[in-house]
Amino acid sequence: MKRRIMSFIIVFLIILPMSLIAATEVVNQEAIVNSPQDVLLIYDQLAADTVYRNNLSAVETLLSSLSQTAEIVSMDDYPGGRLLAYHKVIVLKNTQNAINNPALIADCQNYSGAMVYIGFAAPELVPGLAGFPVSRQLGRTVSVNLNGLAISSIWIDELQVIDATPDSGEVTIGVGTASYPFAKTSGQLTYVPTFIGQPGFTLGLGEVLKDWFGRINSVHMTLLIPDIYPFSDLNMVIETADAFYANGIPFTLGVAPLDDNIDYPAMARFYQVLRYVQSRNGTILIHRPSPATVSDSSTVLSEKMYTVIAKMVENGVYPLGLVTDESLFFDAVDAVNPLNLFSSGIIMSDTSIAAPGPKASWALNSASMAVTLETVINSSSQNRNFGNYPINTTIVMALPENKDVLTAQLNTINQKWLSLTNYQQLDNQWTIGQNNVVSGPAGIWVNGLPVSLVYDEEPISDDYAYQKPPEYSLEKIFTAGNAFLLTVVGIIIVVFIIIVVFSRRVYLSKFRKVVDQEQDNQSVKENDKKEGNTP
């Protein structure tokens, strides 16, 4: 009997761990299947006082430009087991500080999914990092080479490179005459030893992440003139559109939405200019509204933006995409409606330090990352044709102040032999309110019907009944005071007239009584005389 009990206990102890392991594997598989975002991004610190202060913002912008959603959490706030919900994880290590989260260390050591590790190596966190031969170099001038495009050199105080020969077609870091791989992959682990949130390194990491996410779509480059208002120099907008059209340069115009006075003649003239831009191979994009351009920005996204966009379509202006910074994608989708209904957009760079704390992002179907014209100027190509950067990019160029600046910008674009894409020919679509707008190689379609972009100038009447200015409280007070004084004065005048009339009557009455008495006395005297003369 005792032997049977002991045998049962031994079998139970053997089966129990196996069942627990199997249950854990099932739970892990379910967690991976139910991954809420595309990637998990874990960072150690914001490194606000170092050259790495823009790293987190740069990675966030890259992910949105690649149309990837992300859950972002710091190493200190990491909850145990979260890695198990993701096929892909990015670790950003901006400092050499020790990691004090045992749950994170345990999960990373046992993680079997794809991982990109960026920054200072921590083999105690990811043991596979020990297999990369890394050397440290102090005070180096570095350039980033993007498979045919080289971005001018920058100075780095502390550079870490992988001591290996770059493969053909890889992104490389140039130090003097030597070249090192920008990143190396071993199994499921990709290591980027040095990253600084500036254009060259950001574009280099963009190519690494694009390949890592398996995005094989062709890339394009567009041109954006942002921040156009009704009170901008509209004559310069027309001259710029004509000059670009004459040089065969497609471009986009970023229009700031305004919700006030949209029926004024000035707005009608503004829409007229935008229609002219569309006829010159220009595409209209709409900026994310801000408190500086809209009233009550907390509600404009749901109600007033519908009115703004509907008014634009009514006037023959068709915004095909969105211009915004990275922070929009961390707001709740319901809170930014209808901006989330655009399928494409341009992600502007955000130089501010990323907000701390756990957060999750959403993404557009297609997007491009903004780069400055200066970045293009500082980039050199091995070929006569400039080509494209590794990911979708948009060159941001301010509206020229005068013809001389416009000429200089045109010369830069032409000398670089840029291959710019017409934004209208990309696949864009949105349905907002009663309007459905779609664009592609076949042109722009609104509610299922093609639209003509041929400019037809319409007369604008200046005879507009503007609203009366509001009555201010002081005016009301003075008006009420005047009415009160007039009433009082009127009452006093009436009382005075009554008094005068009454006094006159009293006076006349007294006079009549004296006269009557004298007449009575005279009559008595005459009677007495008559009686005295009687015989």
Side-chain angles (χ1 to χ4, degrees):
M1 185 65 181
K2 290 183 180 180
R3 290 181 179 179
R4 290 182 180 179
I5 294 174
M6 290 298 295
S7 300
F8 176 77
I9 293 174
I10 292 172
V11 171
F12 177 77
L13 292 175
I14 293 174
I15 294 176
L16 179 61
M18 295 177 63
S19 62
L20 291 175
I21 293 173
T24 303
E25 291 179 353
V26 171
V27 171
N28 292 350
Q29 291 297 326
E30 290 179 352
I32 292 176
V33 171
N34 296 324
S35 172
Q37 312 296 125
D38 296 323
V39 64
L40 175 64
L41 171 58
I42 306 172
Y43 67 96
D44 63 339
Q45 293 181 12
L46 297 177
D49 298 327
T50 70
V51 294
Y52 309 107
R53 59 185 175 274
N54 294 327
N55 283 9
L56 181 58
S57 294
V59 176
E60 291 173 352
T61 301
L62 266 179
L63 292 175
S64 294
S65 300
L66 294 170
S67 299
Q68 301 296 313
T69 62
E71 180 183 352
I72 301 170
V73 64
S74 68
M75 292 184 178
D76 291 336
D77 296 332
Y78 171 82
R82 195 60 183 154
L83 276 172
L84 304 177
Y86 287 91
H87 287 292
K88 293 181 178 294
V89 173
I90 298 175
V91 177
L92 177 62
K93 192 75 165 58
N94 290 322
T95 69
Q96 300 185 60
N97 297 342
I99 301 170
N100 300 316
N101 190 333
L104 174 64
I105 295 175
D107 287 348
C108 283
Q109 290 178 348
N110 296 318
Y111 183 67
S112 60
M115 177 183 289
V116 171
Y117 189 100
I118 305 169
F120 293 98
E124 71 278 9
L125 181 69
V126 181
L129 294 173
F132 293 96
V134 177
S135 65
R136 180 188 179 195
Q137 302 181 21
L138 300 178
R140 290 291 185 268
T141 300
V142 176
S143 63
V144 179
N145 303 300
L146 307 170
N147 193 19
L149 285 174
I151 299 181
S152 62
S153 303
I154 63 169
W155 178 266
I156 296 181
D157 292 330
E158 184 175 356
L159 175 68
Q160 297 184 95
V161 295
I162 298 175
D163 281 330
T165 302
D167 295 332
S168 177
E170 273 190 330
V171 180
T172 62
I173 292 178
V175 183
T177 59
S179 293
Y180 302 94
F182 183 87
K184 269 296 182 183
T185 300
S186 176
Q188 291 280 71
L189 177 62
T190 298
Y191 181 36
V192 181
T194 299
F195 178 72
I196 298 175
Q198 60 89 231
F201 280 85
T202 301
L203 290 169
L205 181 61
E207 179 164 349
V208 173
L209 293 180
K210 184 191 72 172
D211 296 338
W212 188 59
F213 285 116
R215 299 184 66 85
I216 59 176
N217 298 337
S218 60
V219 296
H220 61 260
M221 179 184 291
T222 55
L223 178 66
L224 170 68
I225 302 176
D227 301 321
I228 302 300
Y229 298 84
F231 43 81
S232 297
D233 187 349
L234 299 184
N235 290 328
M236 198 68 235
V237 172
I238 293 174
E239 289 187 24
T240 302
D242 288 338
F244 282 178
Y245 184 75
N247 285 269
I249 300 174
F251 66 101
T252 60
L253 211 64
V255 177
L258 297 176
D259 67 319
D260 288 334
N261 307 327
I262 59 177
D263 294 323
Y264 280 17
M267 286 299 295
R269 285 189 284 271
F270 182 54
Y271 293 140
Q272 198 170 68
V273 170
L274 297 183
R275 288 199 305 272
Y276 184 81
V277 167
Q278 290 178 151
S279 70
R280 289 295 192 243
N281 282 340
T283 301
I284 306 302
L285 306 180
I286 192 165
H287 278 276
R288 176 190 183 180
S290 69
T293 58
V294 296
S295 60
D296 193 7
S297 59
S298 62
T299 61
V300 70
L301 296 180
S302 59
E303 297 179 2
K304 296 182 179 178
M305 277 302 294
Y306 279 94
T307 303
V308 170
I309 295 173
K311 194 67 176 179
M312 295 178 74
V313 175
E314 177 185 334
N315 284 271
V317 179
Y318 311 108
L320 299 182
L322 181 65
V323 181
T324 181
D325 59 14
E326 172 62 24
S327 62
L328 175 72
F329 301 105
F330 294 108
D331 292 336
V333 173
D334 294 339
V336 299
N337 181 280
L339 300 184
N340 62 302
L341 301 179
F342 286 96
S343 67
S344 64
I346 296 171
I347 316 300
M348 304 293 284
S349 59
D350 187 359
T351 57
S352 61
I353 298 174
K359 51 188 177 180
S361 68
W362 57 277
L364 300 170
N365 290 342
S366 63
S368 63
M369 187 181 75
V371 297
T372 63
L373 187 60
E374 182 182 2
T375 299
V376 176
I377 294 173
N378 293 332
S379 302
S380 59
S381 175
Q382 297 176 355
N383 305 316
R384 185 176 184 182
N385 190 301
F386 187 85
N388 286 313
Y389 288 116
I391 62 174
N392 294 337
T393 51
T394 296
I395 303 171
V396 179
M397 186 188 79
L399 178 68
E401 297 178 357
N402 51 54
K403 291 184 179 180
D404 293 337
V405 176
L406 174 59
T407 301
Q409 292 173 341
L410 282 172
N411 291 336
T412 298
I413 295 172
N414 289 329
Q415 291 172 5
K416 284 291 184 178
W417 287 75
L418 299 176
S419 300
L420 297 174
T421 300
N422 190 335
Y423 202 98
Q424 294 178 10
Q425 297 181 359
L426 301 175
D427 293 329
N428 308 291
Q429 61 178 343
W430 54 261
T431 300
I432 297 177
Q434 301 299 319
N435 295 306
N436 172 260
V437 175
V438 177
S439 79
I444 299 177
W445 295 63
V446 178
N447 298 326
L449 298 175
V451 296
S452 173
L453 299 180
V454 176
Y455 178 69
D456 184 14
E457 185 169 348
E458 299 177 358
I460 300 173
S461 175
D462 290 329
D463 186 15
Y464 180 80
Y466 292 93
Q467 295 180 353
K468 295 181 179 180
E471 296 182 358
Y472 296 100
S473 58
L474 290 179
E475 292 181 0
K476 294 180 179 180
I477 291 173
F478 289 137
T479 301
N482 291 337
F484 175 76
L485 291 176
L486 289 174
T487 302
V488 171
V489 171
I491 293 172
I492 293 174
I493 292 173
V494 171
V495 172
F496 178 75
I497 292 173
I498 293 172
I499 293 173
V500 170
V501 173
F502 180 76
S503 299
R504 183 174 180 276
R505 292 185 63 182
V506 170
Y507 174 77
L508 292 176
S509 298
K510 289 182 178 181
F511 180 76
R512 287 193 187 99
K513 289 180 180 180
V514 172
V515 173
D516 292 342
Q517 187 176 0
E518 288 179 352
Q519 290 177 353
D520 292 342
N521 293 335
Q522 185 67 30
S523 298
V524 170
K525 289 179 179 180
E526 289 179 356
N527 291 332
D528 290 341
K529 287 181 179 181
K530 287 180 180 181
E531 291 177 358
N533 294 328
T534 301

